[in-house]
Amino acid sequence: MRLVALLRNLAVVGMSTLAAGKAAPAEPFRIGLVMPMTGQFSAIARQMEAGARLFISQNGDSVAGRRVELIVKDDGGNPEVSRRISQELVVRDKVDVLAGYGLTPLAMAAAPVATQAKTPMLVLNAATSSVTEASPFIVRTSMTLPQVTLGIAEWAPKNKIKKVVTLVTDYAPGIDAERTFKERFVARGGEIVGSVRVPLHGPDFAPFLQRVTDAAPDAVFVFVPAPTAPVLMKQFSERGLDKSGIRLIGPGDMVDDDSLNAMGDVALGVVTSHHYSAAHDSEANRAFVAAFRKANNGMRPNFIAVGAYDGMRILYAAIKATNGVKSGEALLEQMKGQSFESPRGLLSVDSQTRDVVQDVYIRKVERVNGELYNVEFDALKQVKDPVKAAKAVAR
Ligand code: PHB
């Protein structure tokens, strides 16, 4: 009984403080950042967290009167854990936004949490086309595999590549990349002479690369999640494929800026299509790369860092536009349709699909001032996710 009385008194004191005109401090704006910080895919989290933190450090940790609080959680690359910690962030930590999601299965597992809680979910990397359809509360700032694969599927048949073997990681983004490449390449007169799929966890590429060698194609089209790329490139070179005349092509994940420079000569001349290169020639990108390197012991930003950086930008603008009001639905509305110049080039969030629209560049690995870079030499302008664009036409 005494406790009840005490609580009642405290409540009265609280109310009289408000009545006296002292506004209660605004609740912090909480962002739950869910990432694979340990395990095979931890490089994703390293870049993602650094990109998000750079934006916050440059733009202040308070927006529309609310202090921004980043709550970082490790999903260990496990979808069940991704779902559980997303749920805890919503229920226990009362986050205003869920963000992160380094791999497609991690985003898919958490999507129902966002829907149920009506909490916006900013997908900063997971790149299967269908991710944004898993919840109406998802907004994506990275890319889709079909979107970035379009570029290389158009470039290859115009550049003496007629016969191709596809080699992709056997999960949703790999299947998306493989399907897009096959459709577009064959429609332009190319021929697929073999298709291999490698496991997601701890892959040994040797037997798969043997099948590539046996098929003797002009090129091998590769998609592997970025942190797996160094193993693939090492085995490609150990087996002498780089000297065999079989070219490497694909989306840019395999020559990711995070590990490209350590790959060595095997990467030279590899042509890929992607939405971001640290060598992108713009004022905005030079400033971004310099600030990122300075804040992270010289680390080079990759496409995941820029996805996280732009994600925070979209979020800050939405918090401002809603004047800090606590409503997931209002916040989501303000995230849709934003458009600005990102370090990667012009970016917008499609209001209908909540997916990213951006330029897709064709790039070649070259040595620039002693370091390996993806040097952009052509671009497809303002590309939408082609899978969702085709569905919209069919409706
Ligand atoms: C994904 O799982 O969606 C994913 C992961 C790493 C990448 C691209 C896509 O490099």
Side-chain angles (χ1 to χ4, degrees):
M1 285 310 254
R2 259 205 213 136
L3 183 63
V4 173
L6 179 68
L7 287 175
R8 201 179 294 133
N9 283 343
L10 278 177
V12 170
V13 171
M15 273 154 59
S16 56
T17 316
L18 278 181
K22 284 187 199 148
E27 262 197 67
F29 187 96
R30 298 188 184 92
I31 307 167
L33 193 57
V34 182
M35 305 177 294
M37 300 170 76
T38 52
Q40 190 187 331
F41 301 105
S42 61
I44 291 179
R46 182 165 37 79
Q47 287 274 353
M48 193 179 269
E49 184 173 354
R53 288 201 189 278
L54 178 63
F55 186 87
I56 294 171
S57 78
Q58 288 177 334
N59 294 275
D61 60 359
S62 139
V63 198
R66 293 179 69 182
R67 192 170 53 75
V68 174
E69 198 178 293
L70 202 57
I71 307 176
V72 174
K73 297 276 176 188
D74 179 16
D75 59 39
N78 179 332
E80 272 168 45
V81 178
S82 170
R83 184 189 167 89
R84 179 171 54 71
I85 58 185
S86 299
Q87 180 78 26
E88 283 172 9
L89 282 165
V90 164
V91 174
R92 216 172 52 198
D93 299 300
K94 311 244 179 307
V95 296
D96 296 276
V97 165
L98 289 166
Y101 306 102
L103 291 109
T104 293
L106 304 172
M108 288 307 211
V113 175
T115 308
Q116 218 196 356
K118 297 190 170 23
T119 300
M121 175 170 159
L122 252 177
V123 171
L124 305 178
N125 189 52
T128 304
S129 168
S130 61
V131 164
T132 45
E133 291 162 331
S135 168
F137 282 84
I138 289 179
V139 171
R140 174 158 50 193
T141 59
S142 50
M143 57 153 174
T144 88
L145 257 316
Q147 176 186 53
V148 295
T149 298
L150 286 184
I152 198 70
E154 288 188 11
W155 181 85
K158 289 189 266 180
N159 288 277
K160 300 202 180 88
I161 294 175
K162 302 289 174 221
K163 291 187 178 169
V164 166
V165 173
T166 60
L167 185 159
V168 301
T169 301
D170 193 6
Y171 78 132
I175 311 300
D176 255 6
E178 181 195 275
R179 186 186 304 126
T180 306
F181 183 78
K182 277 189 181 173
E183 275 174 20
R184 307 269 164 161
F185 182 64
V186 170
R188 286 163 176 74
E191 190 188 344
I192 302 291
V193 294
S195 287
V196 291
R197 294 180 181 176
V198 301
L200 177 61
H201 293 284
D204 172 13
F205 291 100
F208 302 101
L209 290 175
Q210 188 56 49
R211 286 167 58 191
V212 172
T213 310
D214 294 346
D218 300 320
V220 52
F221 168 91
V222 170
F223 167 77
V224 294
T228 311
V231 185
L232 168 85
M233 295 302 262
K234 187 163 172 278
Q235 295 193 347
F236 194 81
S237 135
E238 276 168 6
R239 304 189 73 78
L241 267 84
D242 54 337
K243 311 260 169 0
S244 70
I246 301 175
R247 301 189 67 174
L248 256 177
I249 56 170
D253 307 72
M254 84 174 116
V255 280
D256 159 31
D257 274 303
D258 194 51
S259 49
L260 175 60
N261 206 29
M263 286 175 183
D265 287 1
V266 60
L268 277 173
V270 172
V271 176
T272 56
S273 52
H274 226 210
H275 55 300
Y276 181 68
S277 162
H280 179 66
D281 189 14
S282 75
E283 211 45 61
N285 186 50
R286 278 188 288 277
F288 169 70
V289 173
F292 187 93
R293 281 193 187 272
K294 191 161 176 236
N296 296 284
N297 285 323
M299 176 163 76
R300 191 196 287 188
N302 73 354
F303 68 98
I304 298 169
V306 87
Y309 185 79
D310 289 343
M312 289 304 118
R313 176 171 180 158
I314 285 168
L315 188 54
Y316 267 49
I319 302 171
K320 273 191 201 137
T322 53
N323 208 11
V325 168
K326 226 175 155 32
S327 154
E329 274 152 326
L331 203 59
L332 179 73
E333 278 319 303
Q334 294 300 334
M335 287 159 79
K336 294 180 189 172
Q338 285 191 36
S339 182
F340 55 87
E341 199 207 341
S342 149
R344 68 185 99 172
L346 182 63
L347 170 155
S348 57
V349 178
D350 187 304
S351 306
Q352 254 79 53
T353 62
R354 294 162 279 105
D355 222 337
V356 58
V357 181
Q358 58 194 336
D359 292 350
V360 172
Y361 306 90
I362 319 291
R363 319 94 49 85
K364 186 178 191 176
V365 177
E366 290 175 14
R367 188 169 275 120
V368 182
N369 298 332
E371 288 192 29
L372 299 186
Y373 278 100
N374 292 294
V375 178
E376 296 168 349
F377 62 88
D378 205 353
L380 306 181
K381 291 289 179 191
Q382 297 303 287
V383 183
K384 290 187 174 194
D385 173 52
V387 176
K388 284 190 279 287
K391 280 186 199 159
V393 169
R395 269 199 295 270

